[in-house]
Amino acid sequence: MRRRVLPGFGLSLGYTVTYLGLIVLLPLAALAWKASDVGFAGLLRLLSSPRTLAALKLSFGGALLAATVNVFIGLLVTWALVRYRFPGRRVLDAFIDLPFALPTAVAGIALTAVYAPNGWLGRWLVPLGISFAYTPLGVLLAMVFVGFPFVVRTLQPVLQSLEQDVEDAAESLGATGLQTFLRVILPTLVPTLLTGFALALARAVGEYGSVIFIAGNIPMRSEIAPLLIVQRLEEFDYATAAALGVVMLAFSLVLLVLVSALQRWTRRWAEVPR
């Protein structure tokens, strides 16, 4: 009889259901229950408010754009770290994880200190008409900062595991370096890139601490949806805050389901022999 290292199916399933129920599903159910206090008409009024629409547009639009930027930059950085040896590579590799460890409020203060009109870079950029602080561009910058490690750390082990023989075979058949990358390597990396995109997107949508300092929180311009939730909580309007949370949760779930479906499609597409 084969002995199992971990407990049997019954105990594992019980632990899984208990964990998901208490840590994930119960808080979400409480959020939906509290949001029901505003009623359907109140939810429609909330969603039709220009201020709410502007905040949701900035939060989700900025997160989508930041995750897209992170995919391209993350691929370039990961390629350099994996394929080349240069002085300081290990130090640079360690710095990738800095946004993971850095408290979000500290990250926000650091970005503001650099890009504010009197900051290290802001004093040179603002006269040129490039302003990050207190603009939607600053929100995008903060979202890129917090989501960048998710793409690199997701992609790095996959790129390291790629066999050199495949590239050598492509080159021996006459493929150029660009053709080898686009037709051999990139299709293999697409599902992993989408995973990194989804993780960076999820982090950026819910980001608060590193955004509020550089955003300036100007209504209808640089105000994010999580800040609206905090403001409603400070006004003791818990039902409206919960309703905003439910709206963000619904948008996030739809985005993640779409990305997951795209991942499955690209994985099947990459496995089809040509």
Side-chain angles (χ1 to χ4, degrees):
M1 181 179 176
R2 184 179 178 183
R3 294 177 60 85
R4 298 182 183 277
V5 176
L6 295 177
F9 174 73
L11 185 58
S12 298
L13 180 62
Y15 172 79
T16 303
V17 172
T18 303
Y19 179 85
L20 287 176
L22 293 177
I23 304 299
V24 180
L25 299 179
L26 187 61
L28 294 182
L31 179 71
W33 179 264
K34 191 65 183 176
S36 65
D37 290 347
V38 300
F40 185 70
L43 183 62
L44 287 181
R45 281 197 302 273
L46 182 64
L47 288 177
S48 59
S49 165
R51 186 175 177 181
T52 302
L53 290 175
L56 290 174
K57 181 180 177 183
L58 180 59
S59 290
F60 286 95
L64 280 170
L65 189 55
T68 305
V69 170
N70 275 327
V71 165
F72 286 101
I73 297 177
L75 176 59
L76 293 176
V77 171
T78 310
W79 185 272
L81 289 175
V82 173
R83 293 303 178 96
Y84 301 107
R85 298 292 180 270
F86 52 88
R89 187 178 67 89
R90 292 182 181 277
V91 176
L92 182 62
D93 193 23
F95 271 110
I96 299 293
D97 292 328
L98 196 57
F100 280 146
L102 196 65
T104 56
V106 177
I109 293 172
L111 290 173
T112 307
V114 172
Y115 291 100
N118 59 346
W120 293 350
L121 293 179
R123 68 182 63 184
W124 304 104
L125 294 175
V126 171
L128 299 175
I130 305 172
S131 181
F132 285 91
Y134 321 130
T135 68
L137 202 56
V139 176
L140 176 65
L141 180 68
M143 289 179 172
V144 169
F145 178 80
V146 299
F148 178 67
F150 289 93
V151 177
V152 176
R153 293 309 181 211
T154 304
L155 187 61
Q156 198 169 17
V158 178
L159 198 55
Q160 287 172 335
S161 66
L162 285 182
E163 298 290 342
Q164 183 67 36
D165 296 345
V166 180
E167 297 177 42
D168 294 340
E171 292 178 3
S172 67
L173 292 173
T176 64
L178 182 61
Q179 288 173 328
T180 302
F181 176 76
L182 292 178
R183 298 186 180 183
V184 178
I185 299 176
L186 190 58
T188 308
L189 299 180
V190 167
T192 309
L193 285 172
L194 287 174
T195 301
F197 175 86
L199 293 173
L201 173 68
R203 175 64 194 272
V205 166
E207 184 57 28
Y208 176 76
S210 61
V211 174
I212 56 171
F213 293 101
I214 196 170
N217 312 315
I218 304 171
M220 305 291 294
R221 184 167 182 241
S222 61
E223 188 179 52
I224 58 175
L227 181 65
L228 271 183
I229 295 176
V230 173
Q231 289 176 349
R232 295 297 172 265
L233 289 175
E234 290 175 346
E235 296 167 357
F236 303 104
D237 189 358
Y238 300 123
T240 304
L244 281 169
V246 168
V247 171
M248 290 196 70
L249 176 65
F251 274 114
S252 300
L253 285 176
V254 169
L255 285 175
L256 291 179
V257 167
L258 289 176
V259 172
S260 178
L262 190 58
Q263 275 181 282
R264 287 197 296 273
W265 181 81
T266 52
R267 192 173 290 114
R268 287 198 298 269
W269 180 81
E271 291 173 353
V272 173
R274 294 176 179 81

